């Protein structure tokens, strides 16, 4: 099987003003994406209201800096809440 077009997502840590040059680039980028991942409900609402992103394509994930917890006692994970690992 040959993959001719991979589904793409975009992770947005901040949003430009919709009427700015960055806003125009983001709007064009969103047209090509399968989903957008943001770190807050506020950002999700802005994507929906200011950029016209469909609610079903916007996903909110918590921001974590828990790499410093490696040596700590393991935390309990909330049932049904998936873990998203981002490598950068």
């Amino acid at each position: 099987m040959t993959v001719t077009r991979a589904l793409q997502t975009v992770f947005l840590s901040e949003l430009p003003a919709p009427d700015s040059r960055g806003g125009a680039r983001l709007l064009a980028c969103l047209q090509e994406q399968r989903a957008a991942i943001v770190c807050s409900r506020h950002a999700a609402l802005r994507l929906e209201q200011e950029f016209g992103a469909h609610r079903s394509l916007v996903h909110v994930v918590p921001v974590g800096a828990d790499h410093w917890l490696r040596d700590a006692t393991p935390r309990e994970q909330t049932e049904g809440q998936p873990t998203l690992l981002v490598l950068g």
Side-chain angles (χ1 to χ4, degrees):
M1 177 170 87
T2 303
V3 177
T4 57
R5 178 146 168 79
L7 298 178
Q8 296 183 8
T9 60
V10 61
F11 176 82
L12 302 165
S13 59
E14 58 186 67
L15 300 176
D19 58 350
S20 69
R21 185 179 199 181
R25 288 197 324 249
L26 175 57
L27 188 58
C29 174
L30 288 172
Q31 303 301 316
E32 300 294 321
Q33 305 303 310
R34 178 70 178 126
I37 300 170
V38 295
C39 298
S40 70
R41 278 299 311 146
H42 175 75
L45 280 173
R46 283 194 58 205
L47 269 182
E48 294 166 20
Q49 294 173 348
E50 298 175 15
F51 293 93
H54 193 274
R55 177 174 285 170
S56 67
L57 300 180
V58 180
H59 304 280
V60 180
V61 297
V63 176
D66 53 0
H67 54 279
W68 59 274
L69 286 174
R70 287 184 191 137
D71 298 326
T73 305
R75 297 181 311 161
E76 238 182 73
Q77 185 171 354
T78 306
E79 188 64 34
Q81 186 179 30
T83 299
L84 175 65
L85 175 64
V86 178
L87 304 174

